[in-house]
Amino acid sequence: MRSLSLLLLVALAALGESEEGGKHYSRTKREFLSRSKRRWVLSTIELEEEMKVDYPFKLSRMFNDKTPGKQYEFVISGEGTDEGLFSIDKLTGDVYVHAPVDREKKASYHITFDVWDKSTNTKIDRELAFDVDVKDINDNVPRFIAITKEASVKENTPSGEYLAASLEVVDDDQEGTVNSTVVITVDKQVPAEPKIGIVHISGRLHRLIFDGCFDYDKVKTYSILIKASDKGNPPLSSTATIKLNVIDANSHQPIFKQRQ
């Protein structure tokens, strides 16, 4: 019994130290966060691709609360600065972009910046960085990267089976957005029967399917216009044509035209 009481006392003492240590850790963490969050205040800059504006175009403004009373200048470096795509006004801290950007070529730019004391030629504060994220617009048309231009089908092929024609389509706009979401349909077919449609298999792969019957004696060739449209605003689309040849099958019995 005495041993059990001793163990309980030790456990309670350890718990008290743990709580005190936890409070000290939380207080230290809060103080650290408070110190680390002061001075530089900037979030990621969002820049729409292919903007039709007058350049140079102002994106944002840098500032620092340690500059009052000092002669200082802002300096940036990093992606897009050496080429003159991005610049900063050394006195005001205004950041400019000097030309349209294309998200499909580069989706983000990482830029570092400093503020220098001109009288001592030293940094006033620590170096930080910001990102310029390029916002996607619907500026890419869906592309057929693989397609069966010409295929054949036996006239006695059962309805509902896949035709020997497939296609793959890609849209270069930002993945996972409406701008790159593609819908593929049969826009037109000649002749109109049997009805030919498209089924999504997996990924970019689609195949043609049909409902009805082919008859070689009536129609020997079909022209199928495929349309790929994205869901952007406004939507963009492209088309491709598949030629389908009907192959004669041994579907007719011999008949006697006359008897003698």
Side-chain angles (χ1 to χ4, degrees):
M1 184 67 179
R2 184 174 299 172
S3 299
L4 179 60
S5 300
L6 181 60
L7 287 172
L8 287 172
L9 288 173
V10 172
L12 289 172
L15 180 61
E17 290 179 2
S18 175
E19 290 178 351
E20 184 64 27
K23 291 178 182 177
H24 175 73
Y25 171 77
S26 298
R27 183 168 60 252
T28 303
K29 184 177 180 182
R30 285 197 300 271
E31 291 173 355
F32 172 76
L33 289 175
S34 177
R35 287 195 298 268
S36 65
K37 287 163 65 176
R38 65 189 176 95
R39 301 192 187 102
W40 291 103
V41 181
L42 182 69
S43 60
T44 298
I45 299 173
E46 190 173 76
L47 171 62
E48 184 177 286
E49 67 171 330
E50 306 295 352
M51 283 200 308
K52 292 177 172 56
V53 296
D54 292 331
Y55 292 94
F57 179 77
K58 179 180 174 181
L59 295 178
S60 185
R61 171 173 287 188
M62 309 293 106
F63 67 95
N64 185 281
D65 66 2
K66 297 180 71 177
T67 56
K70 298 179 180 179
Q71 290 186 335
Y72 62 89
E73 65 178 16
F74 291 94
V75 178
I76 62 172
S77 60
E79 296 176 330
T81 59
D82 292 339
E83 306 92 314
L85 181 60
F86 298 102
S87 69
I88 190 168
D89 187 302
K90 292 183 177 182
L91 297 180
T92 64
D94 291 338
V95 178
Y96 293 91
V97 60
H98 290 259
V101 294
D102 187 348
R103 195 207 68 86
E104 284 69 50
K105 293 182 179 178
K106 191 169 180 59
S108 180
Y109 295 84
H110 185 71
I111 300 173
T112 59
F113 61 95
D114 293 291
V115 58
W116 286 79
D117 188 328
K118 296 172 68 175
S119 61
T120 62
N121 197 32
T122 58
K123 292 182 182 181
I124 292 179
D125 208 343
R126 60 192 176 94
E127 178 185 273
L128 284 184
F130 62 90
D131 291 326
V132 177
D133 287 344
V134 182
K135 183 180 178 182
D136 184 49
I137 64 171
N138 192 28
D139 59 343
N140 286 279
V141 177
R143 295 185 293 112
F144 291 88
I145 57 174
I147 186 169
T148 306
K149 292 287 188 179
E150 187 171 355
S152 299
V153 57
K154 290 185 176 180
E155 65 172 332
N156 59 355
T157 301
S159 175
E161 287 199 4
Y162 291 121
L163 297 173
S166 63
L167 53 98
E168 295 183 40
V169 177
V170 65
D171 192 305
D172 293 325
D173 285 313
Q174 186 173 355
E175 188 176 354
T177 67
V178 293
N179 293 339
S180 63
T181 302
V182 180
V183 177
I184 303 173
T185 58
V186 174
D187 192 54
K188 184 180 179 181
Q189 72 172 75
V190 180
E193 296 295 335
K195 187 68 175 178
I196 297 173
I198 294 181
V199 176
H200 176 237
I201 303 301
S202 63
R204 301 168 177 171
L205 180 63
H206 296 73
R207 291 192 63 180
L208 267 60
I209 197 169
F210 75 100
D211 181 21
C213 299
F214 291 101
D215 189 336
Y216 175 81
D217 296 322
K218 294 181 178 179
V219 179
K220 296 176 174 57
T221 303
Y222 287 80
S223 178
I224 307 160
L225 182 66
I226 309 297
K227 184 177 182 180
S229 303
D230 62 34
K231 293 186 176 182
N233 184 23
L236 302 177
S237 63
S238 60
T239 59
T241 301
I242 296 177
K243 181 181 180 182
L244 185 64
N245 300 313
V246 181
I247 300 175
D248 186 27
N250 190 19
S251 57
H252 298 285
Q253 294 180 343
I255 59 173
F256 292 98
K257 287 190 174 182
Q258 74 178 61
R259 296 184 180 184
Q260 182 174 356

